[in-house]
Amino acid sequence: MAKASQDRDPVAAAVGLLSRRDHSREELKQKLRSRGFVVSDIDKAIARVDDWGYLNDARFAEGFVRYRSARGLGPIRLANELRERGVAAELIRQTLAEAEQDWFELCADLCQRKFGTAPPSDFKARAKVQRYLAYRGFDMEQIRYALESLHS
């Protein structure tokens, strides 16, 4: 019965989606659109759940950064993923700046867990480590720090 009411009511569908996990405003719009709701109904539903305090891009971004950084992703990749989810650039910058994460240490820890404590033996091995860490979202300064930490 609850599923049938969500199929007809965009507010109920939005509340159902937000009860499972936080969503960004844009992500919620896309999900409601994919369920066949009209844009005007979606806007009204989003305004209502926003008024109720269920929708909060800042809370979404904080949780996203906390969860994904704990899995070894760096600030560049997190910023890109948040941008893809429709979070405002200023909010992304602020969230990453306020994150209680030492990106240098996270990069070094990830490097040691993935490649061991011995420094790369040659240029090819070093390039492989750099590519991996860059893919995970770390900048060259953080990658250099991680590689230098292997020497100690």
Side-chain angles (χ1 to χ4, degrees), residues 71-105:
R71 276 143 186 74
L73 295 183
I76 296 170
R77 177 127 176 225
L78 292 172
N80 289 337
E81 290 183 4
L82 285 169
R83 197 173 302 109
E84 288 172 2
R85 286 164 173 76
V87 178
E90 180 59 29
L91 182 57
I92 294 171
R93 188 196 60 70
Q94 179 183 353
T95 302
L96 290 173
E98 293 174 357
E100 294 180 7
Q101 185 65 258
D102 183 347
W103 301 111
F104 288 91
E105 287 301 322

Side-chain angles (χ1 to χ4, degrees), residues 22-23 55-64 87 91 94-95:
D22 277 330
H23 289 71
L55 184 62
N56 185 327
D57 277 356
R59 184 177 61 222
F60 167 75
E62 289 169 13
F64 187 87
V87 178
L91 182 57
Q94 179 183 353
T95 302

Side-chain angles (χ1 to χ4, degrees), residues 117-129:
T117 56
S121 56
D122 60 357
F123 178 78
K124 188 176 178 180
R126 184 178 179 90
K128 179 180 179 180
V129 173

